[in-house]
Amino acid sequence: MPAGADYSGDMTQTADAAPKTDWASRMEQAVLDAAIERAPALGWNSRLVRAACEANGLSLGDEELLLPNGARDLAVLLSRRHDSRALQALEATPAATMKIRERIAAAVSARMEAGAQDIEAAKRCAGFLTLPTNVDLGFKLAWESADHLWRWAGDTATDQNHYSKRAILGGILIPALTMRWFEGREAAEAFVARRIENVMAFEKWKAGKDFDAPIKAVTDALGRLRYGAKEA
């Protein structure tokens, strides 16, 4: 998916998955490399995009074609590179032999460490994604990352659980990544462990509840009012 594509569609493809013979895909990665190198000094903004493009010999016209959404497109490329890196690191992890909480802890840890390899650039990008105009993109990228990690963990849900799992994990990922960038690995992994424990406790409690019962009671009552009580 080109960096300038609609982020709200299919979120399963990473930038690194694009064919390496494709000029645009190769140039995206080259520009991203240059941006990672320059982000500590320039921040994550239009100046960074221009500097990274200039470093690769791109004119303003080429830049607009390659990254029509500027620093937002660059943030997408960085997040997808980190997703790809995390999945590569997880290839040697025996997910099938692990409990689900262990899989998720390992997946989140891998994603945090994948980004930590570019930690100064990741910090600047994280700050960029907290701006009011970019929060929507931050949530979409967190959802995308969560989807990758759940698929690695073996999730095959196609009902509402598919969405709730990704929403919950995305809600863990956003603060976990921020903590990893600014407070270190130990603090971030302790936070993740607590959140996973909280989620598992909630799921255990929820499993014993019939949440449809109140709705059924109301509909039964309305039915009796309309049609009268059934004869014994």
Side-chain angles (χ1 to χ4, degrees), residues 61-199:
D62 292 334
E63 175 187 322
E64 291 175 358
L65 287 172
L66 188 71
L67 304 171
N69 298 297
R72 284 171 63 92
D73 285 340
L74 208 55
V76 173
L77 290 172
L78 182 67
S79 180
R80 290 177 177 172
R81 175 178 288 188
H82 292 166
D83 286 343
S84 179
R85 188 181 288 166
L87 293 174
Q88 289 173 8
L90 286 166
E91 287 179 356
T93 303
T97 65
M98 302 165 69
K99 295 180 179 179
I100 188 62
R101 68 178 66 196
E102 294 172 338
R103 296 181 202 178
I104 297 306
V108 174
S109 179
R111 180 59 178 80
M112 292 193 297
E113 295 314 300
Q117 295 180 44
D118 305 312
I119 193 164
E120 294 304 322
K123 286 181 180 180
R124 273 63 176 185
C125 187
F128 172 79
L129 291 174
T130 64
L131 296 175
T133 53
N134 301 320
V135 168
D136 65 319
L137 179 58
F139 282 124
K140 288 174 182 177
L141 292 176
W143 177 282
E144 178 172 307
S145 297
D147 183 55
H148 287 308
L149 300 184
W150 268 117
R151 289 175 187 275
W152 170 82
D155 178 60
T156 58
T158 56
D159 58 7
Q160 69 271 17
N161 287 324
H162 172 91
Y163 301 98
S164 63
K165 286 178 178 180
R166 283 147 184 80
I168 291 170
L169 185 54
I172 294 175
L173 270 175
I174 291 174
L177 291 172
T178 303
M179 290 186 72
R180 177 62 183 90
W181 308 158
F182 294 95
E183 299 183 32
R185 182 173 185 171
E186 184 176 348
E189 293 199 340
F191 166 80
V192 171
R194 291 194 301 270
R195 287 299 306 273
I196 290 175
E197 189 61 37
N198 290 342
V199 170

Side-chain angles (χ1 to χ4, degrees), residues 202-221:
F202 172 73
E203 291 296 326
K204 183 178 180 180
W205 171 81
K206 188 176 71 172
K209 305 295 180 181
D210 183 1
F211 289 100
D212 293 331
I215 297 174
K216 186 175 185 300
V218 171
T219 56
D220 286 348

